[in-house]
Amino acid sequence: PAFRFFAEWWKQLYGESEGKEGKGLFPASVDFTADLHSMGQYIQQGERTLLETVVRFAADPDQLTVPHDDVNGDGLNFLEGKTMAHDEGGVPNLIVSAGERNARTLGELIYFFEFSCGLSGYLLGVNPFDQPGVEAYKKNMFALLGKPGYEEAGEALRAKLSK
């Protein structure tokens, strides 16, 4: 959960950088346990069009482990002492091993993913540093909102939308 907003940035980075010309990976993030039933099911047994990337941080001395329950009321004592992580299911995966969670490691991860995304875009044959789709919808919004200089485009869009 502490890494949730990094995943949001990652989706924006890859979606905007690679998602053009019918190419690029579809970036999505999964936050277990919130997405366990929906996306966990898909990851375990769905179509194999995924590449799962797991960022694993160095052991945290405060990392939670499953405690012992003298009554074993939920029948989960077999998990005693284990931490919770997901990196299985037959999906090709990449495990990125990072240091402890701190500012330096965050900077290293940002650099790693930015560099990887740029390289991946070039390998796909797209320019990872432009965003023609984003620019197109910005121009459409300027035209529809009446920004000066976009009058003709606004008229054309309104005519198209009224059909």
Side-chain angles (χ1 to χ4, degrees):
F3 210 51
R4 173 179 288 143
F5 292 106
F6 188 90
E8 294 302 311
W9 167 81
W10 182 88
K11 289 189 298 191
Q12 181 272 329
L13 173 68
Y14 276 81
E16 205 169 291
S17 300
E18 289 188 346
K20 24 191 119 141
E21 301 174 24
K23 300 176 183 175
L25 295 173
F26 177 76
S29 62
V30 177
D31 185 14
F32 292 119
T33 66
D35 298 320
L36 184 59
H37 290 324
S38 60
M39 296 306 295
Q41 172 61 46
Y42 189 89
I43 291 168
Q44 292 294 326
Q45 295 182 325
E47 190 174 343
R48 291 298 178 244
T49 57
L50 302 174
L51 168 66
E52 190 173 14
T53 302
V54 176
V55 176
R56 184 169 288 152
F57 292 97
D60 181 346
D62 297 324
Q63 186 173 27
L64 297 176
T65 58
V66 177
H68 176 76
D69 177 12
D70 288 332
V71 179
N72 196 21
D74 55 13
L76 296 177
N77 272 356
F78 68 94
L79 296 174
E80 179 183 350
K82 295 182 180 175
T83 60
M84 297 294 129
H86 172 84
D87 61 6
E88 296 180 6
V91 174
N93 63 62
L94 166 70
I95 298 176
V96 177
S97 297
E100 64 183 82
R101 261 190 336 218
N102 59 29
R104 180 180 178 88
T105 301
L106 178 63
E108 290 171 345
L109 285 169
I110 289 170
Y111 178 78
F112 170 78
F113 282 112
E114 285 181 340
F115 185 85
S116 299
C117 185
L119 181 62
S120 177
Y122 285 131
L123 290 171
L124 287 169
V126 298
N127 179 353
F129 300 106
D130 69 359
Q131 51 184 19
V134 173
E135 293 304 319
Y137 81 69
K138 284 181 182 178
K139 288 177 183 176
N140 286 343
M141 290 307 299
F142 290 155
L144 291 171
L145 294 171
K147 183 175 181 177
Y150 291 85
E151 294 83 4
E152 283 185 39
E155 288 177 27
L157 281 170
R158 281 187 282 284
K160 183 177 179 180
L161 292 171
S162 67
K163 291 182 181 182

